Amino acid sequence: MKLYYYPKSRAAISKWMLDESGAKYELVPIDFEKREHKSPEFLKINPSGKLPALVDGEARVFEGAAICMYIAEKYPEANLAPKPGTPERGRYLSLMVYSTSQLEPAMGDKLMKVETLPQRGWTDFETVLNVVEGELGKGPYLFGDWFTAADVMIGSMFIWMRIWGTKTGRPTIDAYVDRLQARPHCMKMG
């Protein structure tokens, strides 16, 4: 298994997931300055020329949420996702998609001080915070004591926010991020 990787990119999220799963993998460095992510060879792996990208034998997977779901299914012994057919599976899938379809763009708007217009298809950051707080409940993770790939995806967005030099101002979410960052395999930048 190969993870195409630049340490200051979203590939750090996929690396976190691989580390949590206990997978054996190889990091394949991609040099953005040399535009290796736009090379014909790389575009065969990810046609959008972006990271992350994962190759596992004949399988190629791109987009962080897809990679996290793929890894969770490939390594069921790591117990990072509810099994298909279980009641928790629908909520898990929803949170995985929510991380990239709502949380990430709303957070981007907030960090760049851009108004979130309803026609753009995602909600404002305050609503996202309310949703995540509701989903966390009493925690410590999104599924109580059970750490899952949903925590990797949702939590990584708030870790990025800290990298940008800010916290949410919501004690429940900030404490959640503290717990995530205390995990031995948590996403690191650089």
Side-chain angles (χ1 to χ4, degrees), residues 14 41 63 124 134 180 189:
S14 298
E41 297 80 23
E63 293 300 321
D124 62 276
L180 293 174
M189 300 307 296

Side-chain angles (χ1 to χ4, degrees), residues 33-83:
E33 290 180 22
K34 293 181 181 174
R35 303 199 40 85
E36 292 174 345
H37 59 299
K38 300 298 182 180
S39 71
E41 297 80 23
F42 185 77
L43 293 173
K44 290 177 186 172
I45 298 165
N46 185 346
S48 66
K50 311 252 317 145
L51 293 178
L54 181 80
V55 173
D56 182 19
E58 296 296 314
R60 67 180 177 90
V61 188
F62 54 92
E63 293 300 321
I67 291 171
C68 286
M69 288 187 280
Y70 180 86
I71 293 165
E73 289 178 13
K74 183 166 178 82
Y75 298 96
E77 64 279 4
N79 198 30
L80 293 169
K83 298 192 181 351

